[in-house]
Amino acid sequence: MLSKWGGNLQSKIHDLVLDCLSWDGNGKLIDIGCGNAPLSIKAAKKYSKAHVTGIDYWGGMWDFSLKVCEKNAKIEGVQDRITFQKASASDLPFENNYFDAAVSNLVFHEVQDTKDKRDVI
């Protein structure tokens, strides 16, 4: 269902997330829970003047996951405007107001270090 053979639902959801983002595309955007970076990359392609930071916890797969994200960004030609960092969605290592916009998709239920997911938001 999420793949291109299943109707590209994931890509359609990412388009919807970005279409609903009220932002001019200038500055810094964070993708919370970026996984292998499809939403981060789509944002970097849509907002050509932005720098995108994708964060995810990735657990013990950190090195592998980082390499996958960086490879995907390079394939899509946005590697110079996108960075990836290991971090928990419940404890972002950035100062308040560091980012101009934030996106996230299907992530908060996965946050393991906070019982009440409302605290994450």
Side-chain angles (χ1 to χ4, degrees):
M1 184 64 100
L2 297 177
S3 72
K4 64 181 177 180
W5 299 281
N8 259 349
L9 186 58
Q10 183 177 27
S11 181
K12 291 174 185 175
I13 292 169
H14 292 164
D15 288 338
L16 180 62
V17 167
L18 295 177
D19 288 346
C20 290
L21 182 62
S22 179
W23 182 49
D24 66 4
N26 290 303
K28 300 175 196 162
L29 177 138
I30 185 170
D31 178 10
I32 301 169
C34 68
N36 62 358
L39 181 56
S40 303
I41 291 168
K42 191 168 270 205
K45 290 175 86 171
K46 179 173 182 170
Y47 302 111
S48 61
K49 295 180 182 177
H51 182 84
V52 176
T53 299
I55 67 110
D56 206 308
Y57 188 69
W58 291 300
M61 299 294 291
W62 160 242
D63 289 331
F64 172 78
S65 298
L66 173 64
K67 289 175 186 171
V68 169
C69 288
E70 290 173 342
K71 178 183 175 186
N72 291 342
K74 186 173 183 176
I75 288 168
E76 295 294 332
V78 295
Q79 73 275 8
D80 59 333
R81 294 184 300 101
I82 194 167
T83 55
F84 302 99
Q85 184 170 335
K86 183 177 183 178
S88 171
S90 67
D91 188 23
L92 298 176
F94 305 99
E95 293 182 27
N96 288 341
N97 300 314
Y98 181 80
F99 293 98
D100 302 295
V103 294
S104 188
N105 181 54
L106 301 173
V107 171
F108 294 103
H109 68 284
E110 295 287 347
V111 177
Q112 301 294 317
D113 58 358
T114 304
K115 284 186 179 186
D116 187 343
K117 303 310 180 211
R118 293 175 293 186
D119 291 340
V120 177
I121 295 171

